[in-house]
Amino acid sequence: MKRAAACLLIMISLAFISGCTERDRMYRESRVLMDTFCTITVVSASEEKAREAINRGFAEIERLDGLLNYFSEDSEITAVNRAAGRPVRVSRETLDIVKKAVHISEITGGAFDPTIAPVVSLWKFSKDISAPSIPSRDAVATALRHVDYRKIEINTAASEIYLTEKGMELDLGGIAKGYAADRAVEAVKAEGIKAALVAVAGDIRGFGLNPSGQGWRLGIQDPRPETVSERPWEDVFATLELRDRAISTSGDYQRFFIKDGKRYFHILDPVTGFPAETDLISVTVIAPEGYVTDSLATAVFVLGVEKGMKLLESMGIDGVLVCADKKILLTEHLRGKINILNPAYQAVNYSP
Ligand code: AMP
Ligand code: MG
């Protein structure tokens, strides 16, 4: 649960309940799954149908967690990691998400790398970070030798994943929540639901319109709030409307510690094995699919403003990039579509 508390909601749904017709209502439920808070909101005229759809959505997230959880003794990812050096047969979903993760690694030039696990475990951000420690450069360098997504082999016909070197390990922490939101949305849709919002922590995917006939209104968490709030995820600096899209935020404020005045956080540069040296403090990505927004938010954070903006624009994907000086850069298509609530943040035009 420590982990859950630390990586709580990056965004919170501010879906407005006003204007519900007599027929359609919103039904919402939260559960702790994937070591974090998940919330499913469903619009339906029937409470029974809504509850059934919500249960199906959660069941899907739970099932995926069973396959993909790095920390679980009996997940498929653990089986793949333990068997590094020989191929392992896995389910269709595990194969699918690993393929997707490798694809994102390719298009981000390795800024996103699911083989980062050996280095991630040295940093212990997933454990108690009240007693922080910085791993030695030697330990990081040794672990880094096993970090390279190009050493993952995937045999689709045999449904096998092969980590080609002993010591390699997969960590899907930067993509699995968005992927789970995608799958949960499919499960909810399959129940005949026309509108819903699935949030796996800050990886959120919505479809359809809320009962007021609008898209889902979401807030982006303030990465540098002036005061410490008990519910930091409700401290938002901007809102926007989501229509049939997914949204994810990555930032240096989600799991971090400060030592000797320097901030160390959970997003690592696969080249150095250290927290990414970036000019960004928060990156929000909006795209049709959650696995894309989840992994690209992480990657763009590592890439920094220039390369990150270039990547998003070249893919036609929307992004809200917050720089250390609280300047906000928006991809072209998003300009005028985000509502900045906190005057400390200022949207500026990006010119490469
Ligand atoms: P997110 O919170 O989605 O930005 O993902 C961060 C999580 O992904 C971390 O907690 C690590 O488990 C993992 N991770 C950290 N750095 C990277 C990276 N460069 N590429 C892929 N996964 C990463
Ligand atoms: Mg992410």
Side-chain angles (χ1 to χ4, degrees):
M1 267 312 288
K2 282 239 169 58
R3 223 172 137 233
C7 66
L8 267 176
L9 281 198
I10 301 148
M11 272 168 246
I12 185 136
S13 161
L14 298 176
F16 298 124
I17 306 178
S18 62
C20 290
T21 65
E22 289 240 319
R23 307 209 44 176
D24 278 339
R25 289 184 182 280
M26 282 208 290
Y27 297 91
R28 174 175 298 167
E29 209 178 306
S30 296
R31 294 187 196 168
V32 173
L33 290 170
M34 288 193 135
D35 288 339
T36 192
F37 284 100
C38 302
T39 301
I40 302 183
T41 309
V42 159
V43 179
S44 175
S46 147
E47 173 160 12
E48 199 188 333
K49 234 175 126 183
R51 298 284 170 214
E52 181 59 26
I54 289 172
N55 284 338
R56 288 292 166 102
F58 282 131
E60 186 62 6
I61 298 171
E62 198 167 357
R63 193 177 69 83
L64 287 170
D65 190 29
L67 297 174
L68 306 175
N69 194 329
Y70 174 87
F71 298 96
S72 151
E73 284 290 304
D74 40 35
S75 73
E76 287 194 339
I77 287 302
T78 298
V80 169
N81 290 342
R82 285 204 181 123
R86 61 184 165 83
V88 175
R89 194 177 163 82
V90 294
S91 63
R92 194 171 44 84
E93 285 86 357
T94 302
L95 197 79
D96 182 46
I97 190 174
V98 174
K99 266 190 191 173
K100 287 180 158 73
V102 170
H103 174 64
I104 298 289
S105 305
E106 285 165 355
I107 61 177
T108 61
F112 181 86
D113 193 324
T115 64
I116 192 87
V119 189
V120 171
S121 30
L122 289 178
W123 284 93
K124 302 186 173 67
F125 282 108
S126 54
K127 301 222 175 83
D128 183 2
I129 49 174
S130 58
S133 72
I134 299 167
S136 73
R137 292 207 168 259
D138 279 357
V140 171
T142 306
L144 265 183
R145 282 194 222 129
H146 300 298
V147 176
D148 188 348
Y149 66 93
R150 289 164 297 195
K151 295 182 189 163
I152 305 172
E153 282 184 17
I154 298 172
N155 182 336
T156 305
S159 199
E160 283 177 352
I161 297 171
Y162 174 25
L163 302 182
T164 56
E165 272 179 15
K166 273 196 187 328
M168 279 179 79
E169 277 193 346
L170 292 177
D171 167 13
L172 301 176
I175 192 168
K177 294 200 294 297
Y179 185 79
D182 288 337
R183 305 299 303 219
V185 156
E186 293 313 316
V188 169
K189 272 187 184 167
E191 293 295 305
I193 298 295
K194 296 284 178 293
L197 191 71
V198 174
V200 183
D203 297 293
I204 302 172
R205 180 159 164 189
F207 69 94
L209 304 176
N210 70 21
S212 331
Q214 292 164 333
W216 300 97
R217 184 149 289 277
L218 302 175
I220 306 178
Q221 192 183 330
D222 188 339
R224 294 287 187 275
E226 300 272 309
T227 50
V228 181
S229 156
E230 268 187 26
R231 299 159 73 87
W233 56 94
E234 288 183 4
D235 198 354
V236 301
F237 75 88
T239 61
L240 49 81
E241 200 180 297
L242 198 72
R243 285 186 184 230
D244 298 320
R245 287 278 181 285
I247 184 166
S248 297
T249 298
S250 281
D252 65 2
Y253 59 94
Q254 293 162 345
R255 268 181 272 160
F256 71 98
F257 60 82
I258 291 177
K259 196 156 195 227
D260 300 329
K262 190 171 164 62
R263 182 184 286 254
Y264 295 86
F265 49 88
H266 71 304
I267 302 172
L268 305 177
D269 183 338
V271 174
T272 63
F274 277 72
E277 293 282 342
T278 178
D279 41 8
L280 292 165
I281 56 176
S282 154
V283 174
T284 297
V285 174
I286 300 144
E289 292 172 291
Y291 85 87
V292 173
T293 58
D294 189 359
S295 55
L296 279 189
T298 310
V300 168
F301 187 85
V302 172
L303 289 170
V305 168
E306 206 180 313
K307 289 185 186 157
M309 281 296 267
K310 208 167 146 190
L311 177 72
L312 292 176
E313 295 286 16
S314 74
M315 295 178 74
I317 286 180
D318 292 337
V320 181
L321 280 60
V322 184
C323 303
D325 59 3
K326 296 192 173 175
K327 295 255 176 8
I328 302 172
L329 304 171
L330 303 173
T331 48
E332 213 169 327
H333 174 73
L334 257 193
R335 290 178 200 157
K337 294 190 180 131
I338 129 162
N339 183 18
I340 297 171
L341 307 172
N342 183 337
Y345 290 86
Q346 220 186 6
V348 295
N349 283 334
Y350 173 69
S351 45

